[in-house]
Every structure is written in C-alpha cells, then in structure tokens.
Amino acid sequence: MGETADVVHNRIAMLRAERGISRRELAEALGVHYQTVGYLERGEYSPSLHLALRIAEYFGVAVEVVFSTRPFKRLGE
C-alpha cells in the first residue's frame, strides 16, 4: 500500500505538550539523550520495545496510546 512496514508512528510530542514536559525532562526521566526524544517524535528513530514500554509507563498509558504502525487520526476525525 506504499507504506513502509517498519515506520512507527507516535504521540510523544502530543503527550509531552499536554503535560507541559520538555524534551529534556522526558529524556532525563528515560535516561536517553534529549536529541533521541526529537528523533523519536519525528519518526526518524524507532524505539526498542523496552524503551517504548518505558515511555508508555512514564505517561501512565498503554503502549498502544503512544505507538502505532499506522498514522494516528487527528483529533476530531
């Protein structure tokens, strides 16, 4: 269908914005470089399963709320 099979879509930026958390704060909480958070948000880097689970745990949501193999619908769709 033209979509790359290994693309992982995420809502990290949205979750951070909702909670007023900076990339640096999230990175420090996860033990990763703050640029890694930027790469994740832009879809330039797919997290390991362990990191994906830790991100979901940090936000207190199911991993499926943060990550998907398909693009998330925009709010209101």
Side-chain angles (χ1 to χ4, degrees):
M1 310 263 175
E3 190 170 341
T4 308
D6 59 357
V7 173
V8 176
H9 303 274
N10 72 75
R11 288 180 166 143
I12 298 170
M14 184 193 80
L15 290 163
R16 273 195 320 97
E18 281 181 354
R19 292 161 170 77
I21 298 164
S22 71
R23 282 184 178 165
R24 193 172 295 276
E25 287 171 315
L26 178 57
E28 286 174 4
L30 298 171
V32 299
H33 195 277
Y34 76 92
Q35 287 181 325
T36 301
V37 175
Y39 295 141
L40 287 165
E41 290 181 352
R42 292 188 301 273
E44 296 170 8
Y45 172 72
S46 292
S48 65
L49 176 57
H50 184 252
L51 181 56
L53 291 168
R54 285 175 48 225
I55 291 168
E57 185 178 304
Y58 176 83
F59 288 116
V61 297
V63 73
E64 297 88 357
V65 171
V66 187
F67 298 98
S68 177
T69 56
R70 297 175 184 219
F72 288 101
K73 290 185 189 253
R74 300 250 180 231
L75 292 177
E77 281 186 28

